[in-house]
Amino acid sequence: MMTVQLEALTEGVRRHFRHVHETRMKDIPILNPALQVQTVGFQHTENGCLGVLITPWFISLMLLPCEGDDWHDLTVGSTQTHYFPAGAFDFLLAYDVAIGRYQTCSLLSPVLEMEDQPAAVAFAEAALEALMDPANRETREQQQYKGQPLEQNTAAEAEQAAMDEAKPDQGCDRRNFLRGRFRDGNAVEKESA
């Protein structure tokens, strides 16, 4: 259940991005007319208030500062790394006078392939679920192959990852979903919001 403070924050985000949609983004060809601005699944985490923002031009993970913090010590435009059960994810710190500072991690942009609002909401909910699932954490070998800094994985995580990798392909699992890999080998182009 959302707190009053979190509901006020997310209502401010919705109001702001609806205004952006009706003004700055009006008649831009990358808009998906089947989508509208919506916030999904916002909850308090140790990183901030986390949820997904759906707009007709992008879908992004979004972090808002929790009560008593405004991230004034962080530089707008900088990248902040946050750790979740699925691993480390980079968020871009943004600022708008209407809503203050916030951080985003793009999931999909543009969103032209989204059929309708329920599909976008299902996509957002699946992304949040996958983010909170430690089974989606990359193994040390996968990080090394990609040239990423190595994270410390426990033996149990490494064993689980090895078991997951040995399973036959059953379509787009949550790990591949978060990494933009799909059964047919096509990847979704990821951009900053």
Side-chain angles (χ1 to χ4, degrees), residues 2-80:
M2 268 202 230
T3 65
V4 172
Q5 184 255 352
L6 187 50
E7 178 54 40
L9 280 174
T10 56
E11 176 52 36
V13 167
R14 289 189 297 270
R15 189 172 40 250
H16 169 67
F17 280 93
R18 284 179 188 135
H19 176 74
V20 170
H21 179 216
E22 295 164 2
T23 56
R24 290 186 274 176
M25 296 301 292
K26 187 176 182 175
D27 300 324
I28 300 294
I30 63 164
L31 296 180
N32 181 337
L35 299 186
Q36 61 188 1
V37 173
Q38 184 175 347
T39 53
V40 176
F42 273 84
Q43 60 191 294
H44 292 280
T45 71
E46 64 185 46
N47 300 295
C49 300
L50 173 72
V52 175
L53 174 62
I54 298 170
T55 75
W57 62 99
F58 71 81
I59 300 176
S60 289
L61 291 170
M62 184 176 215
L63 276 169
L64 303 170
C66 289
E67 193 170 1
D69 193 2
D70 63 1
W71 294 333
H72 68 277
D73 55 333
L74 302 177
T75 304
V76 173
S78 65
T79 300
Q80 310 299 314

Side-chain angles (χ1 to χ4, degrees), residues 51-115:
V52 175
L53 174 62
I54 298 170
T55 75
W57 62 99
F58 71 81
I59 300 176
S60 289
L61 291 170
M62 184 176 215
L63 276 169
L64 303 170
C66 289
E67 193 170 1
D69 193 2
D70 63 1
W71 294 333
H72 68 277
D73 55 333
L74 302 177
T75 304
V76 173
S78 65
T79 300
Q80 310 299 314
T81 301
H82 294 283
Y83 297 89
F84 298 95
F89 293 84
D90 290 333
F91 283 69
L92 179 67
L93 184 74
Y95 171 81
D96 191 282
V97 69
I99 58 174
R101 291 173 187 246
Y102 60 95
Q103 297 181 40
T104 63
C105 177
S106 181
L107 294 173
L108 189 62
S109 178
V111 289
L112 296 172
E113 65 270 20
M114 279 293 158
E115 184 177 325

